[in-house]
Amino acid sequence: MDITQRARELLATDEQIAEHLTAAVWERLPGYEVSMLDRTELSEAITASMRSILLAVIDRRPPNDAELAPARRLSERRAVQGVPIESVVGSWHNAERVLLTRLLGGTGALTAGEVQEAARRVGVAIDAMITASTTSYRQIASELHAQ
């Protein structure tokens, strides 16, 4: 089974992956004040982002503008809440690790080239999410600082 097929299989479990990542943010990432977060909103944004990342991996492309929108909105809310940008970026790196683990951990051995391709595809998608998130975060933080 190749990377594209494995990513298609993971699409069926995108909510399960999102719940795992939501729990990680909720329980462990520094700077996230649980009393200020809406777990449902967080889970929905993570689910949408995981779906977008997997679709981008399947199609061998970066996420498009519409697919980046949930990440942008979520990072804007985190800027307003005062969550450190390092924690926002850290959550994306956590997502990258989880997705790669699941992509590479499927049945059947992968060649070194397939492992490299999986890392490249996921990296391209995560890099786009990080760029969109940090740009939106910084814009809102700058506006708040100016006020």
Side-chain angles (χ1 to χ4, degrees):
M1 178 179 307
D2 70 10
I3 297 306
T4 300
Q5 292 168 321
R6 288 181 186 212
R8 281 193 180 109
E9 282 188 356
L10 286 180
L11 271 176
T13 64
D14 62 345
E15 289 181 14
Q16 186 181 44
I17 295 168
E19 183 51 38
H20 175 79
L21 293 170
T22 301
V25 168
W26 203 258
E27 297 166 9
R28 292 181 285 256
L29 278 175
Y32 282 82
E33 180 59 47
V34 174
S35 64
M36 295 180 70
L37 298 177
D38 177 341
R39 189 178 176 106
T40 301
E41 177 232 5
L42 179 63
S43 181
E44 288 171 356
I46 290 173
T47 300
S49 294
M50 290 307 97
R51 185 164 196 71
S52 295
I53 290 166
L54 288 169
L55 288 170
V57 167
I58 290 166
D59 295 340
R60 301 171 191 229
R61 60 170 176 79
N64 62 42
D65 200 51
E67 292 168 330
L68 294 170
R72 285 188 185 107
R73 285 191 301 272
L74 193 61
S75 65
E76 289 168 358
R77 291 183 56 93
R78 296 307 162 252
V80 169
Q81 294 166 340
V83 172
I85 196 166
E86 295 83 6
S87 291
V88 173
V89 172
S91 67
W92 285 116
H93 288 302
N94 186 47
E96 182 175 37
R97 286 187 297 275
V98 167
L99 285 174
L100 279 172
T101 298
R102 291 183 184 227
L103 270 175
L104 301 177
T107 57
L110 295 173
T111 67
E114 289 171 320
V115 171
Q116 290 174 339
E117 180 63 13
R120 188 196 66 73
R121 289 192 210 178
V122 171
V124 164
I126 293 290
D127 286 350
M129 291 290 184
I130 290 172
T131 298
S133 294
T134 56
T135 300
S136 295
Y137 182 103
R138 287 185 176 121
Q139 181 179 2
I140 293 299
S142 292
E143 290 172 13
L144 290 172
H145 184 69
Q147 292 175 1

